[in-house]
mmCIF file of all heavy atoms in Angstrom:
data_model
loop_
_atom_site.group_PDB
_atom_site.id
_atom_site.type_symbol
_atom_site.label_atom_id
_atom_site.label_comp_id
_atom_site.label_asym_id
_atom_site.label_seq_id
_atom_site.Cartn_x
_atom_site.Cartn_y
_atom_site.Cartn_z
ATOM 1 N N GLY R 44 18.813 13.981 -18.102
ATOM 2 C CA GLY R 44 19.656 13.681 -17.060
ATOM 3 C C GLY R 44 19.291 14.515 -15.861
ATOM 4 O O GLY R 44 19.252 13.999 -14.740
ATOM 5 N N PHE R 45 18.866 15.691 -16.109
ATOM 6 C CA PHE R 45 18.303 16.663 -15.092
ATOM 7 C C PHE R 45 17.034 16.024 -14.502
ATOM 8 O O PHE R 45 16.896 15.977 -13.264
ATOM 9 C CB PHE R 45 18.007 18.047 -15.709
ATOM 10 C CG PHE R 45 17.001 18.854 -14.899
ATOM 11 C CD1 PHE R 45 17.496 19.580 -13.803
ATOM 12 C CD2 PHE R 45 15.723 18.896 -15.293
ATOM 13 C CE1 PHE R 45 16.590 20.297 -13.089
ATOM 14 C CE2 PHE R 45 14.788 19.745 -14.528
ATOM 15 C CZ PHE R 45 15.219 20.378 -13.398
ATOM 16 N N MET R 46 16.157 15.610 -15.399
ATOM 17 C CA MET R 46 14.902 14.933 -14.836
ATOM 18 C C MET R 46 15.182 13.692 -13.987
ATOM 19 O O MET R 46 14.435 13.536 -13.078
ATOM 20 C CB MET R 46 14.018 14.677 -16.047
ATOM 21 C CG MET R 46 13.477 15.882 -16.796
ATOM 22 S SD MET R 46 12.496 15.462 -18.225
ATOM 23 C CE MET R 46 10.944 14.998 -17.307
ATOM 24 N N SER R 47 16.201 12.999 -14.418
ATOM 25 C CA SER R 47 16.579 11.723 -13.610
ATOM 26 C C SER R 47 17.020 12.167 -12.178
ATOM 27 O O SER R 47 16.559 11.534 -11.235
ATOM 28 C CB SER R 47 17.631 11.032 -14.300
ATOM 29 O OG SER R 47 17.250 10.679 -15.636
ATOM 30 N N ARG R 48 17.809 13.228 -12.050
ATOM 31 C CA ARG R 48 18.213 13.642 -10.750
ATOM 32 C C ARG R 48 17.092 14.156 -9.986
ATOM 33 O O ARG R 48 16.959 13.877 -8.724
ATOM 34 C CB ARG R 48 19.344 14.691 -10.889
ATOM 35 C CG ARG R 48 20.651 14.263 -11.495
ATOM 36 C CD ARG R 48 21.784 15.319 -11.350
ATOM 37 N NE ARG R 48 22.077 15.512 -9.937
ATOM 38 C CZ ARG R 48 22.938 16.471 -9.591
ATOM 39 N NH1 ARG R 48 23.465 17.294 -10.441
ATOM 40 N NH2 ARG R 48 23.242 16.602 -8.272
ATOM 41 N N VAL R 49 16.162 14.929 -10.542
ATOM 42 C CA VAL R 49 15.126 15.423 -9.839
ATOM 43 C C VAL R 49 14.152 14.241 -9.427
ATOM 44 O O VAL R 49 13.585 14.283 -8.293
ATOM 45 C CB VAL R 49 14.306 16.509 -10.700
ATOM 46 C CG1 VAL R 49 12.990 16.888 -9.957
ATOM 47 C CG2 VAL R 49 15.209 17.706 -10.975
ATOM 48 N N ALA R 50 14.004 13.356 -10.263
ATOM 49 C CA ALA R 50 13.186 12.190 -9.899
ATOM 50 C C ALA R 50 13.672 11.402 -8.751
ATOM 51 O O ALA R 50 12.872 11.035 -7.850
ATOM 52 C CB ALA R 50 13.083 11.273 -11.239
ATOM 53 N N LEU R 51 14.985 11.226 -8.600
ATOM 54 C CA LEU R 51 15.545 10.517 -7.439
ATOM 55 C C LEU R 51 15.344 11.335 -6.174
ATOM 56 O O LEU R 51 14.937 10.784 -5.139
ATOM 57 C CB LEU R 51 17.039 10.200 -7.782
ATOM 58 C CG LEU R 51 17.365 9.199 -8.816
ATOM 59 C CD1 LEU R 51 18.810 9.130 -9.025
ATOM 60 C CD2 LEU R 51 16.648 7.845 -8.549
ATOM 61 N N TYR R 52 15.486 12.639 -6.322
ATOM 62 C CA TYR R 52 15.279 13.517 -5.200
ATOM 63 C C TYR R 52 13.765 13.465 -4.778
ATOM 64 O O TYR R 52 13.457 13.262 -3.602
ATOM 65 C CB TYR R 52 15.633 14.977 -5.508
ATOM 66 C CG TYR R 52 15.308 15.985 -4.428
ATOM 67 C CD1 TYR R 52 16.293 16.584 -3.634
ATOM 68 C CD2 TYR R 52 14.046 16.475 -4.193
ATOM 69 C CE1 TYR R 52 15.973 17.423 -2.620
ATOM 70 C CE2 TYR R 52 13.664 17.374 -3.232
ATOM 71 C CZ TYR R 52 14.618 17.808 -2.371
ATOM 72 O OH TYR R 52 14.311 18.754 -1.416
ATOM 73 N N ALA R 53 12.967 13.513 -5.724
ATOM 74 C CA ALA R 53 11.526 13.552 -5.471
ATOM 75 C C ALA R 53 11.076 12.228 -4.743
ATOM 76 O O ALA R 53 10.336 12.279 -3.748
ATOM 77 C CB ALA R 53 10.726 13.755 -6.855
ATOM 78 N N ASP R 54 11.487 11.120 -5.202
ATOM 79 C CA ASP R 54 11.188 9.857 -4.578
ATOM 80 C C ASP R 54 11.711 9.811 -3.150
ATOM 81 O O ASP R 54 11.085 9.291 -2.239
ATOM 82 C CB ASP R 54 11.594 8.725 -5.417
ATOM 83 C CG ASP R 54 10.435 7.819 -5.764
ATOM 84 O OD1 ASP R 54 9.315 8.423 -5.872
ATOM 85 O OD2 ASP R 54 10.520 6.635 -6.002
ATOM 86 N N LYS R 55 12.926 10.216 -2.960
ATOM 87 C CA LYS R 55 13.519 10.155 -1.662
ATOM 88 C C LYS R 55 12.848 11.049 -0.642
ATOM 89 O O LYS R 55 12.638 10.760 0.512
ATOM 90 C CB LYS R 55 15.048 10.656 -1.767
ATOM 91 C CG LYS R 55 15.803 10.682 -0.391
ATOM 92 C CD LYS R 55 17.217 11.108 -0.606
ATOM 93 C CE LYS R 55 17.987 11.258 0.723
ATOM 94 N NZ LYS R 55 19.335 11.748 0.459
ATOM 95 N N HIS R 56 12.284 12.188 -1.147
ATOM 96 C CA HIS R 56 11.657 13.165 -0.269
ATOM 97 C C HIS R 56 10.122 13.075 -0.368
ATOM 98 O O HIS R 56 9.385 13.839 0.354
ATOM 99 C CB HIS R 56 12.079 14.610 -0.561
ATOM 100 C CG HIS R 56 13.574 14.836 -0.323
ATOM 101 N ND1 HIS R 56 14.601 14.436 -1.228
ATOM 102 C CD2 HIS R 56 14.183 15.341 0.746
ATOM 103 C CE1 HIS R 56 15.759 14.701 -0.697
ATOM 104 N NE2 HIS R 56 15.557 15.260 0.561
#
Side-chain angles (χ1 to χ4, degrees):
F45 162 79
M46 292 179 77
S47 302
R48 292 191 66 187
V49 174
L51 292 177
Y52 174 104
D54 237 28
K55 178 179 178 184
H56 294 84

